[in-house]
Amino acid sequence: MRILLVEDNPVLGEAVVDQLTEDGHAMDWAKSLAEAEAIARVTDYNLVLLDLMLPDGHGLDLLKGFRRRGDLSPVIILTAKDQVSDRIAGLNAGADDYLVKPFDLEELSARVSAVARRYHGNPNPFLELGPLQVDLSAHSIFHEGKSVELTAREWALFEGLIQRPGHLLTKTQLEDRLYAYGTEIESNTIEVYISRIRKKLGRDAIETVRGMGYRLGYS
């Protein structure tokens, strides 16, 4: 997924970026409300991780602005404010989940995966796709009973197709899942990763629609 982290603590921010990048997500990190607002206006995100107490204001103001302009990207609030009233305010403003600092990074990974599954209409992490058995929460795949290892970026790309079964994803949409804001990429990067995934999961795992994009081959 393409995730925006809004967090001004450099130690925590770096730890979250490292953890979720390792999970296969493309991470952008804004350290203020102004920076987050500027990035979010030009980039579509699958998820936002939002601190509340920021140098230039309150995170709920950013969240309310998202919702007013129709941005339905899921939001997980990350904050040291653990009062019930704070949680209620966050959820009423449009947040999808709430994680109190300090938190375990593995729990954060699990919350991110759970929110993503809910938003794509499939809360069950276990999928049967043709000859594949997929565990979305564990990032594991078995092909005809044999374990298959995907790299973080291979997983991120394949997960994007799984989340939109039957839908065509353009090359640009797939690139957005792999790279942070402003990163330069090669013109054939997606083709390279598609080829690698097919070698591991079978040629029918991903269907090419020439000149348009790709979609999940197995159903």
Side-chain angles (χ1 to χ4, degrees):
M1 293 192 297
R2 186 75 174 271
I3 298 176
L4 174 62
L5 170 65
V6 187
E7 169 62 61
D8 65 320
N9 184 304
V11 176
L12 177 59
E14 185 173 349
V16 169
V17 168
D18 287 347
Q19 173 75 18
L20 296 181
T21 299
E22 182 71 20
D23 289 343
H25 303 295
M27 297 295 300
D28 293 331
W29 179 10
K31 301 176 180 65
S32 68
L33 292 180
E35 185 181 2
E37 180 70 26
I39 295 175
R41 285 191 177 276
V42 296
T43 307
D44 292 328
Y45 288 100
N46 305 108
L47 177 68
V48 178
L49 302 176
L50 179 62
D51 185 24
L52 292 185
M53 305 308 293
L54 292 153
D56 54 346
H58 201 286
L60 287 189
D61 293 332
L62 180 70
L63 174 55
K64 291 174 182 177
F66 283 172
R67 298 307 186 231
R68 277 197 301 268
R69 66 172 182 258
D71 186 336
L72 300 179
S73 300
V75 173
I76 299 177
I77 289 176
L78 311 177
T79 182
K81 297 171 71 65
D82 61 354
Q83 296 296 315
V84 172
S85 59
D86 295 319
R87 301 187 191 194
I88 292 173
L91 295 171
N92 285 342
D96 298 86
D97 203 351
Y98 203 107
L99 198 54
V100 176
K101 301 175 184 176
F103 51 80
D104 184 86
L105 291 173
E106 292 295 336
E107 181 180 0
L108 173 62
S109 292
R111 298 282 189 105
V112 166
S113 295
V115 169
R117 292 196 302 271
R118 288 201 302 271
Y119 261 74
H120 290 93
N122 184 16
N124 182 6
F126 302 103
L127 301 176
E128 293 277 349
L129 301 171
L132 305 180
Q133 297 82 46
V134 182
D135 183 342
L136 293 172
S137 60
H139 288 193
S140 67
I141 299 179
F142 285 82
H143 180 244
E144 297 179 342
K146 296 181 180 180
S147 178
V148 178
E149 294 291 333
L150 297 185
T151 67
R153 284 182 173 172
E154 288 168 357
W155 173 266
L157 193 155
F158 191 60
E159 183 186 43
L161 296 168
I162 290 174
Q163 290 174 343
R164 300 293 301 278
H167 288 74
L168 187 72
L169 295 185
T170 66
K171 184 176 176 180
T172 298
Q173 287 175 310
L174 293 174
E175 288 172 345
D176 283 345
R177 296 189 62 86
L178 302 184
Y179 295 97
Y181 181 72
T183 303
E184 295 292 332
I185 61 174
E186 300 292 332
S187 60
N188 67 335
T189 295
I190 296 301
E191 288 83 354
V192 169
Y193 280 112
I194 293 291
S195 176
R196 291 176 183 174
I197 293 170
R198 283 173 171 159
K199 286 180 181 179
K200 295 179 179 182
L201 303 182
R203 291 201 56 81
D204 294 335
I206 299 175
E207 179 185 352
T208 301
V209 180
R210 191 172 299 277
M212 298 179 66
Y214 302 90
R215 62 184 164 214
L216 185 67
Y218 296 137
S219 60

